[in-house]
């Protein structure tokens, strides 16, 4: 039931379970690699590793947004909810892209 979900903070729990740990791991690794850029003997290797890490994390975020949009659509359909930007075909590509770039909620 959606009232129970809101009271039990189900969305926040799912977010922490599926995404938060990976984001924190990225932040820690990014900080270590960025610090290594200051050491001339480690700069080239750190730069390459940082680029790989950033690309990988970007893919993770893209997949996360797609998953979240799909989940929202399924919840909307199952609970007969009206979700802005969502139709029977899912969210519009423009809405997903806006969300992906940090432009608010779907």
């Amino acid at each position: 039931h959606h009232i129970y979900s809101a009271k039990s903070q189900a969305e926040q729990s799912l977010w922490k379970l599926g995404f938060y740990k990976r984001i924190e791991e990225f932040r820690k690794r990014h900080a270590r690699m960025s610090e290594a850029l200051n050491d001339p003997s480690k700069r080239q290797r750190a730069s390459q590793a940082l680029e790989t890490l950033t690309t990988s994390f970007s893919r993770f975020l893209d997949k996360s947004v797609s998953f979240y949009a799909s989940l929202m659509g399924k919840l909307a359909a199952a609970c007969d909810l009206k979700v802005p930007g969502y139709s029977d075909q899912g969210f519009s590509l423009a809405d997903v892209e806006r969300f992906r770039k940090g432009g608010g909620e779907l």
Side-chain angles (χ1 to χ4, degrees):
H1 196 281
H2 65 279
I3 293 173
Y4 171 77
S5 295
K7 285 182 180 178
S8 66
Q9 299 179 341
E11 182 181 6
Q12 183 178 15
S13 295
L14 285 171
W15 172 260
K16 284 183 178 182
L17 181 66
F19 304 103
Y20 187 76
K21 184 176 179 181
R22 180 86 185 258
I23 292 168
E24 285 302 306
E25 178 184 308
F26 168 78
R27 287 178 177 159
K28 288 176 186 175
R29 291 180 69 197
H30 188 277
R32 280 196 319 267
M33 289 176 192
S34 294
E35 188 174 307
L37 290 173
N38 295 323
D39 182 340
S41 68
K42 297 178 182 178
R43 187 172 293 136
Q44 184 176 359
R45 186 170 176 216
S47 178
Q48 291 170 343
L50 194 55
E51 185 176 332
T52 300
L53 176 68
T54 302
T55 299
S56 175
F57 190 67
S58 181
R59 274 188 255 126
F60 164 74
L61 291 177
D62 287 342
K63 289 179 182 180
S64 298
V65 168
S66 295
F67 169 79
Y68 202 51
S70 174
L71 179 62
M72 291 293 295
K74 289 175 184 176
L75 288 172
C79 298
D80 196 30
L81 300 172
K82 303 297 179 212
V83 178
Y86 182 77
S87 70
D88 292 339
Q89 289 76 39
F91 288 97
S92 72
L93 289 177
D95 285 332
V96 171
E97 185 64 19
R98 180 178 45 78
F99 180 77
R100 189 180 76 75
K101 291 183 177 182
E105 297 180 12
L106 281 173

